[in-house]
Amino acid sequence: MISIRGLTKRFGSTAVLDGIDLDIAEGERVVVIGPSGTGKSTLLRCLNFLDRPDAGTIAIGDVSVDVARATKRDILALRRATAFVFQNYALFANKTAKENIMEALVTVQGRPREEAERRAREVLAETGLAEKADSYPAALSGGQQQRVGIGRAMAIGAELMLFDEPTSALDPEWVGEVLDLMRRVAAQRQTMLIVTHEMQFAREIADRVIFMEGGRIVEQGPPGQVLEAPHDARLRRFLRRVA
Amino acid sequence: MRALDLDYMLGLVPVILGYVPLTLFMAAVAMLCALVLASLLAVERVIRVPGLDWLVVLFISFFRGTPLLVQLFLFYYGLPQVLSFLTQINGVTAAIMGLTLHFSAYMAEAIRAAITGVDRSQWEAAQSIGMTQAQMMRRIVLPQAGRIAAPTLVNYFIDMIKGTSLAFTLGVTEMMGATQKEASGSFLYFEAFLVVAILYWIIVEVLSQGQKQLETHLNKAYAR
């Protein structure tokens, strides 16, 4: 169970997140849509403290943090309860695909290397990249890199997986394989919070779609309702533009 | 103009070669110590520990801003007069200390620049999985910075090998010291110093070959 209250982030005098309240049930798959610059990515980055939020509370599983008073320990706990998939993949350039997946397990979770390696091989098999275990990121296509990125996040076994526009940086030819992998993650009833512009994908896998604008949640509900029968005029305008 | 005494030169080669291990030992130990110290200094310069930053800036400024020979004399002849526990310090130790401190100041700047050259996404990925700052530096950032800084660091190592020749001014008989002794016995200064110059040159050339292999090795992960 994830519970966010009054999450606020300002850059200078503009509130990029303007008091976000959001609950996510275990196993729920939530897709966030909205025009660019409306705080969707910032929401994800604040949950992970890649951007430090200014106010509010975040509770993920047993970790509960008042962000204004967050200590280093709180921040690490929050980061360890979440797994982040980056738009630009952000694989560790000095590590192979397998080592990228092992890194969090060994260094952060303190698991034995053999166990971490076994888990990495399992995950690579799930992502269809078993034969790329010893390849460095530079030798992988964008789609393959992002699949390793998702594998790295899967292996952590985090309470919540965060996807920050995972297909936006990809050449069109690689988008399909990445969405396929995300469908498989979703099928395991992993709790997911996904920022994406892939409306068809949202329709397919989301339990709930959230429309954000101006740092606020404007409308939310099941995809059938939000995407097919939107109430808010800004959402209708947005959907006409992306359709 | 007289002819070169080639027999004397050939005879001198094995004598000076006998001191190559000491020269390389001093350079290698100083290089390892300087790498560790420079990495710590560089990390501090990047993350800026309050209360420590000014000290690091001062350290780098002093050791870059004064000649190595002056620093060596300061450590070997000067410091024991004020710090009595240093009276036992021998020339080799003093030379290693001096080289370490002097070159760590330069190398810290090279490593600092390399750290800031590591892509921002690498830091964020390390943070996102919950690494501590120390883990992030040691496992992700420094190895990648090392690759960027490697050519510069090898240059400093070459400089350091040549810098060990200054240890002879502290009474250490290394390659240069041995040559000096031989030359003052034979008065064949030109031959003697030509031999030692060529030997230094060969050592540096061999290292330059090693540098190419090191760079190929470090770039392995980045080959498409």
Side-chain angles (χ1 to χ4, degrees):
Chain A
M1 171 80 183
I2 289 120
S3 181
I4 301 159
R5 288 287 171 275
L7 194 65
T8 303
K9 170 71 182 171
R10 286 185 197 83
F11 287 122
S13 59
T14 39
V16 187
L17 293 181
D18 196 3
I20 299 283
D21 296 327
L22 177 62
D23 289 323
I24 303 173
E26 197 175 323
E28 194 181 5
R29 291 146 306 195
V30 179
V31 169
V32 185
I33 61 170
S36 36
T38 52
K40 307 183 304 286
S41 288
T42 307
L43 171 62
L44 264 55
R45 293 173 59 86
C46 280
L47 293 180
N48 203 263
F49 268 75
L50 288 175
D51 288 330
R52 195 182 172 117
D54 298 309
T57 58
I58 302 170
I60 299 176
D62 333 325
V63 185
S64 182
V65 174
D66 177 352
V67 303
R69 266 178 296 225
T71 61
K72 266 187 190 168
R73 182 187 290 261
D74 290 335
I75 294 171
L76 288 184
L78 208 52
R79 285 175 176 164
R80 287 166 190 182
T82 55
F84 204 100
V85 175
F86 293 86
Q87 183 176 354
N88 62 2
Y89 337 128
L91 296 184
F92 300 126
N94 58 328
K95 301 197 176 288
T96 63
K98 186 180 72 187
E99 290 166 345
N100 261 277
I101 296 171
M102 290 170 63
E103 191 59 38
L105 309 185
V106 175
T107 307
V108 179
Q109 300 180 353
R111 293 203 232 172
R113 285 197 72 82
E114 304 74 54
E115 186 193 323
E117 184 160 354
R118 229 178 6 254
R119 181 80 188 111
R121 291 201 182 278
E122 277 170 26
V123 169
L124 280 171
E126 278 182 74
T127 59
L129 290 168
E131 78 287 3
K132 296 290 184 187
D134 297 316
S135 299
Y136 285 95
L140 299 175
S141 73
Q144 290 170 335
Q145 287 190 60
Q146 191 57 299
R147 281 150 66 196
V148 175
I150 293 171
R152 176 171 71 180
M154 286 162 68
I156 291 171
E159 201 86 25
L160 172 66
M161 275 176 86
L162 302 164
F163 293 79
D164 187 12
E165 301 198 25
T167 57
S168 299
L170 290 172
D171 287 340
E173 56 179 319
W174 307 125
V175 171
E177 64 186 50
V178 169
L179 292 181
D180 278 344
L181 178 57
M182 289 174 66
R183 281 187 193 98
R184 260 176 285 148
V185 176
Q188 297 167 3
R189 298 221 64 88
Q190 161 76 47
T191 316
M192 300 162 89
L193 183 58
I194 305 163
V195 173
T196 186
H197 294 292
E198 299 285 340
M199 292 302 152
Q200 182 51 42
F201 175 76
R203 210 168 271 128
E204 225 178 283
I205 69 125
D207 298 305
R208 180 166 32 141
V209 175
I210 289 176
F211 174 67
M212 272 182 76
E213 203 191 65
R216 293 173 187 216
I217 294 175
V218 173
E219 188 166 336
Q220 58 179 315
Q225 179 196 314
V226 173
L227 300 176
E228 315 303 339
H231 295 297
D232 188 85
R234 288 165 295 181
L235 173 54
R236 283 201 295 270
R237 207 162 44 237
F238 172 74
L239 288 174
R240 267 202 305 279
R241 252 180 308 145
V242 295
Chain B
M1 191 177 150
R2 64 177 174 83
L4 282 180
D5 189 338
L6 287 175
D7 285 345
Y8 173 74
M9 288 173 72
L10 283 175
L12 202 52
V13 169
V15 176
I16 302 176
L17 278 181
Y19 294 93
V20 169
L22 178 59
T23 289
L24 290 182
F25 169 78
M26 287 193 291
V29 174
M31 185 67 186
L32 285 179
C33 296
L35 271 178
V36 173
L37 181 56
S39 300
L40 293 174
L41 293 170
V43 168
E44 195 293 322
R45 287 294 290 136
V46 173
I47 63 177
R48 305 206 169 195
V49 183
L52 198 62
D53 201 43
W54 70 272
L55 208 63
V56 170
V57 170
L58 188 70
F59 176 94
I60 293 175
S61 168
F62 177 78
F63 283 101
R64 278 211 306 182
T66 53
L68 176 57
L69 186 61
V70 174
Q71 292 167 15
L72 289 176
F73 276 36
L74 197 60
F75 287 126
Y76 187 65
Y77 299 109
L79 270 190
Q81 294 188 338
V82 275
L83 302 170
S84 52
F85 64 88
L86 280 177
T87 47
Q88 294 302 315
I89 195 170
N90 66 34
V92 173
T93 313
I96 289 173
M97 268 177 56
L99 288 167
T100 298
L101 296 174
H102 184 80
F103 279 94
S104 67
Y106 282 94
M107 285 159 52
E109 288 297 284
I111 296 173
R112 184 192 60 77
I115 288 175
T116 51
V118 172
D119 197 87
R120 199 70 220 158
S121 69
Q122 300 291 308
W123 300 63
E124 290 196 340
Q127 288 168 343
S128 80
I129 62 173
M131 279 190 180
T132 62
Q133 203 159 31
Q135 288 170 335
M136 172 176 72
M137 282 295 170
R138 195 164 45 78
R139 310 234 359 125
I140 307 299
V141 176
L142 281 177
Q144 296 188 43
R147 167 178 162 267
I148 301 172
T152 317
L153 295 179
V154 174
N155 269 339
Y156 283 129
F157 185 50
I158 286 171
D159 236 15
M160 206 179 238
I161 288 174
K162 293 181 291 180
T164 58
S165 63
L166 290 174
F168 104 95
T169 61
L170 311 184
V172 178
T173 311
E174 37 62 70
M175 288 171 67
M176 180 63 187
T179 310
Q180 166 76 18
K181 278 184 187 158
E182 290 293 327
S184 54
S186 64
F187 296 108
L188 292 172
Y189 289 105
F190 185 73
E191 279 87 345
F193 290 125
L194 185 59
V195 168
V196 78
I198 290 171
L199 288 179
Y200 275 118
W201 188 10
I202 291 172
I203 291 173
V204 169
E205 272 309 304
V206 169
L207 271 170
S208 303
Q209 293 308 310
Q211 173 172 14
K212 281 177 203 143
Q213 289 183 4
L214 175 71
E215 281 169 28
T216 314
H217 172 74
L218 289 175
N219 285 331
K220 189 184 63 180
Y222 300 83
R224 281 178 186 279

